Amino acid sequence: MEIPVHDLHRQYETIREEIDAALREVLENTSFVLGEPVESFEEAFATYCGTRHCLGVSSGTAALKLIYRALDLQPGDEVITTPFTFIGTVEPLLHMGVRPVFADIDPTTFNLDPDRVAERIGPDTRAIVAVDLYGQPADYERLGELADDHDLTLIEDAAQAHGARWEDRVAGSLGDVAAFSFYPSKNLGAYGDAGGITTSDSDLAERLRRLRDHGREGKYRHSVAGYNERLDGFQGAVLSVKLRHLDAWSEARREHAAFYDERLAGLPLEIPTVVPPAEHVYYQYVVRTEQRDALRDGLHERGVGAAVHYPRPVHLQPPLRELGYEKGDYPRAEAAAGEVLSLPVFAQLTREELDYVVEQLREVLSGIRGVEP
Ligand SMILES: *Cc1c(COP(=O)(O)O)cnc(C)c1O
């Protein structure tokens, strides 16, 4: 059996007619950039997230860039975030001369540890960026209090958490403003690069809208130097179709996760910890073991896709070298980077395939450690 980490073709087969019709409509209406297909999606996604506004943009990284710009962060300002994320969370700050200040993670959820965040707040701190890693919201109760107490903007990087919840609130509405990626393999994925921003702050939304489209006020009136980071009509149309299926796909991911939880209990590896009131959507189902590399290689030999998110924490990536971070600065993130492994958990997996993954995982582990299968 061959089981990939993602299978976008299998997903397409389940929605082929809806997608093909939606794409044909864009062709007929020639609404290729922004326009009706993007506006309909923005409206539907804002409603879904429970925010007043949603803006379709060209990628998740562009969403973060526009948010940092709209907050008018200046060189020398500091933004506190997690070192255990995709580099896109931090990259736009580097271009702006804004210093990313990292706070180590909670080793059970892999998300920002609010106690560590509190220790890093200083006179130059302007914002906190929480990442809902693997699909589980960070601790918005405590992070929200810290942001309020110190007058900081709380930004949510929800690129992995479409539809995740914190109590009765949905990802995208958990901070002051949120960035989404709709990269094809994300839980809500377009058919190319795409991203979104959600917020209920109408002034901020207006600034973001201008920055997304050349600082435009009228057709050829430009009030600020902006960017071209608009969402394409095709992507808006695809996203509207897929949004209708998102909850069912999330439910399937949660069922797969519950199956793994049950079948992997008792094996010498850690399974994911979900801390209520967070509700996980399992963008990744991540196990943890010191034998990670051997387990990954063994699974690959047996046809099971398994991936590492992420093998190197952001503070140790070469583009941050000048900032002076060193190995040992964030020991929990560094340890996690050496031990995490993501198993296939996409919605269309069959019970037979899940059984196969568990079976192979037991066999590989017993070969490594002499565990009874
Ligand atoms: C995917 C991702 C991004 C970047 O999104 P793109 O659409 O690839 O630019 C940012 N942050 C996190 C946590 C992500 O997973």
Side-chain angles (χ1 to χ4, degrees), residues 182-203:
F182 304 124
Y183 185 77
S185 59
K186 298 282 161 93
N187 284 20
L188 178 61
Y191 287 156
D193 273 310
I197 301 172
T198 51
T199 184
S200 290
D201 179 335
S202 298
D203 291 335

Side-chain angles (χ1 to χ4, degrees), residues 59-61 64 85-86 88-89 131 157 159-160 181-183 186 193-194 310:
S59 70
T61 308
L64 288 155
T85 181
F86 178 65
T89 310
V131 179
D157 180 343
Q160 306 190 356
S181 168
F182 304 124
Y183 185 77
K186 298 282 161 93
D193 273 310
Y310 295 89

